[in-house]
Amino acid sequence: MPLTNLNTNMVYETRILGYSYDEYIKIVRQFHGYEAPGVIIGGFMVDAAIRNLPEGILYDAISETRSCLPDAIQVLTPCTIGNGWLKIIHNGRFALTLYDKESYEGVRVFLDAEKVEAWQAIKAWYFKLKTKKKQDREEIAREIKEAGDSILSVQYVRIHPQLAEKKHKGNIAVCPLCLEAYPVDDGKTCLACQGNTLYE
Amino acid sequence: MPLTNLNTNMVYETRILGYSYDEYIKIVRQFHGYEAPGVIIGGFMVDAAIRNLPEGILYDAISETRSCLPDAIQVLTPCTIGNGWLKIIHNGRFALTLYDKESYEGVRVFLDAEKVEAWQAIKAWYFKLKTKKKQDREEIAREIKEAGDSILSVQYVRIHPQLAEKKHKGNIAVCPLCLEAYPVDDGKTCLACQGNTLYE
């Protein structure tokens, strides 16, 4: 399915999808616990991705980092970790992709290191130039709101089919050691009983 | 910190933490997209874990599966994937642990295969004895509500310190190949440029 023209124009009233900026901040505070810069920037990233996707498609999401960004995706789109429409494929970059479930074509949005140069507080946060304590959270928030999507870049991408395809769990059986249910494809016992233990 | 007595008593009015059963279903539908059995059972699991934790502690969460359960944790506790207080350590078992951030002691709750034997529709769903299409979703939901926490078991555990400890990202630099920011601990280039690519 062909994508529409890329659109990174700054909107004049700061909005994140259907929400005012302040409404979005409230959602972030409630879900994420506090107004983390990464989740606020993530809101602009999801907004930019959706504006550049064709309307009315069903899409899945990938976050390239475990930090913050998955929460922006989870509060703004139907994609969550638990329903499988959001995957985290951690490679340490602050980027997300929303892509068509059928064609695997979509839009990748990333926080552009070059564009961040113009914003001292965002830069200090992004590159960890100051310790958390020394960062001025209010100044970061002010810059993020003012910068909006001007610090982002978007790319057309097509996700590798082997990453996009649904994995099925196969049959379920009772593990002969711990007596809990597990996917038989994992082996003769569950992965925990194979040594992947979490607790003492 | 010592834990209080285990408490798996059935409550008489079906409640999931502060919510009525119907309120919880509504939250699940909104966040997860539909009333997945795993998220509804997950609600009872989070409820059981919290009832068996000492009051007033700060806790982190682990889900042993990527399916459904993380969403119950995310809507009912402060722990999310993006804020790092929820970790998914996938070993295919339908179990969660909430544990004290300081002592790593906590409560593991799992869907008990033996106890599920008494519930035909839940059993058929859990062990995938019927295809999704042939499962009677209303009957599964009816059984889950009636079974409540009687199909769960709880254990005291202490999470391995190396799993519980916070990992810090270290310094951030610009990748010389893709020009995006990445944690320098990953190597001379970011992991994506080392071959962990997502798209064509």
Side-chain angles (χ1 to χ4, degrees):
Chain A
M1 193 178 292
L3 297 176
T4 55
N5 287 335
L6 291 186
N7 170 7
T8 56
N9 293 334
M10 186 66 193
V11 287
Y12 292 98
E13 185 206 0
T14 306
R15 290 191 73 82
I16 290 172
L17 294 169
Y19 301 107
S20 72
Y21 184 81
D22 290 344
E23 283 168 344
Y24 179 63
I25 296 294
K26 208 170 147 187
I27 292 168
V28 170
R29 209 182 289 136
Q30 208 216 328
F31 186 71
H32 189 80
Y34 59 101
E35 299 153 52
V39 192
I40 310 178
I41 294 172
F44 287 104
M45 291 170 73
V46 172
D47 181 274
I50 288 176
R51 272 188 286 124
N52 287 293
L53 275 179
E55 268 184 54
I57 62 162
L58 289 177
Y59 59 82
D60 280 344
I62 291 176
S63 173
E64 294 181 39
T65 176
R66 283 183 285 264
S67 304
C68 291
L69 206 43
D71 283 359
I73 296 168
Q74 292 189 114
V75 297
L76 289 172
T77 77
C79 308
T80 72
I81 277 292
N83 69 21
W85 302 338
L86 163 64
K87 286 197 194 78
I88 297 171
I89 301 179
H90 184 86
N91 61 30
R93 301 195 299 187
F94 204 78
L96 61 81
T97 302
L98 302 185
Y99 63 94
D100 187 313
K101 276 181 200 281
E102 300 288 326
S103 68
Y104 309 152
E105 287 176 353
V107 177
R108 178 175 185 266
V109 182
F110 61 98
L111 180 53
D112 192 319
E114 205 183 330
K115 296 178 180 175
V116 162
E117 281 294 325
W119 304 89
Q120 292 315 303
I122 300 175
K123 185 181 169 188
W125 162 79
Y126 195 30
F127 286 93
K128 303 208 297 182
L129 304 179
K130 292 180 182 173
T131 60
K132 253 192 174 175
K133 275 191 180 167
K134 285 197 177 160
Q135 287 173 14
D136 182 342
R137 298 190 74 85
E138 276 184 31
E139 180 64 7
I140 300 175
R142 201 195 54 71
E143 282 194 5
I144 291 173
K145 187 176 177 185
E146 197 182 325
D149 61 5
S150 72
I151 49 178
L152 310 178
S153 287
V154 302
Q155 302 173 303
Y156 288 107
V157 295
R158 184 168 181 269
I159 298 296
H160 281 307
Q162 65 270 32
L163 290 177
E165 276 156 17
K166 282 259 171 275
K167 288 185 192 81
H168 290 283
K169 261 186 292 189
N171 292 329
I172 305 293
V174 172
C175 171
L177 295 182
C178 66
L179 305 180
E180 295 185 37
Y182 80 108
V184 283
D185 286 354
D186 287 348
K188 287 184 181 169
T189 69
C190 76
L191 292 176
C193 292
Q194 287 175 42
N196 183 22
T197 53
L198 311 181
Y199 44 85
E200 298 168 335
Chain B
M1 192 177 293
L3 296 176
T4 55
N5 286 335
L6 291 185
N7 169 7
T8 56
N9 292 334
M10 185 68 191
V11 287
Y12 291 98
E13 184 205 0
T14 306
R15 291 192 73 82
I16 290 172
L17 295 168
Y19 302 107
S20 72
Y21 184 81
D22 290 344
E23 284 168 344
Y24 179 63
I25 297 293
K26 210 169 145 185
I27 292 168
V28 171
R29 210 182 287 137
Q30 209 215 327
F31 185 72
H32 189 80
Y34 58 100
E35 298 152 54
V39 191
I40 310 178
I41 294 172
F44 287 104
M45 292 169 72
V46 173
D47 181 273
I50 288 176
R51 270 188 287 124
N52 286 293
L53 274 179
E55 267 182 55
I57 62 161
L58 289 178
Y59 58 82
D60 280 343
I62 291 176
S63 173
E64 294 182 38
T65 176
R66 283 183 285 263
S67 304
C68 290
L69 206 43
D71 283 359
I73 296 168
Q74 293 188 114
V75 297
L76 290 172
T77 78
C79 310
T80 71
I81 278 291
N83 68 21
W85 303 337
L86 164 63
K87 287 197 194 77
I88 297 171
I89 300 180
H90 184 86
N91 61 30
R93 302 195 297 188
F94 204 79
L96 60 81
T97 302
L98 302 186
Y99 63 95
D100 187 312
K101 275 180 200 282
E102 301 288 327
S103 68
Y104 309 153
E105 287 177 353
V107 177
R108 179 176 185 264
V109 182
F110 61 98
L111 179 53
D112 191 319
E114 205 183 329
K115 295 178 180 175
V116 162
E117 280 294 326
W119 304 89
Q120 291 316 302
I122 299 174
K123 185 182 169 188
W125 162 78
Y126 194 30
F127 286 94
K128 302 208 296 182
L129 305 178
K130 292 179 182 175
T131 59
K132 253 191 174 174
K133 275 193 180 166
K134 285 198 177 160
Q135 287 174 11
D136 182 341
R137 298 189 75 85
E138 277 184 30
E139 180 64 8
I140 299 173
R142 201 194 54 72
E143 281 194 8
I144 291 173
K145 186 175 178 184
E146 198 182 325
D149 61 6
S150 72
I151 50 178
L152 309 179
S153 287
V154 301
Q155 301 172 303
Y156 288 108
V157 295
R158 184 168 181 268
I159 297 297
H160 281 307
Q162 64 270 33
L163 290 177
E165 277 156 16
K166 282 261 172 271
K167 287 183 193 83
H168 291 282
K169 262 186 289 188
N171 293 329
I172 305 292
V174 172
C175 171
L177 294 181
C178 67
L179 305 180
E180 295 185 36
Y182 80 108
V184 283
D185 285 353
D186 287 348
K188 288 186 181 168
T189 68
C190 76
L191 292 176
C193 291
Q194 287 175 42
N196 183 22
T197 53
L198 311 180
Y199 45 85
E200 298 167 338

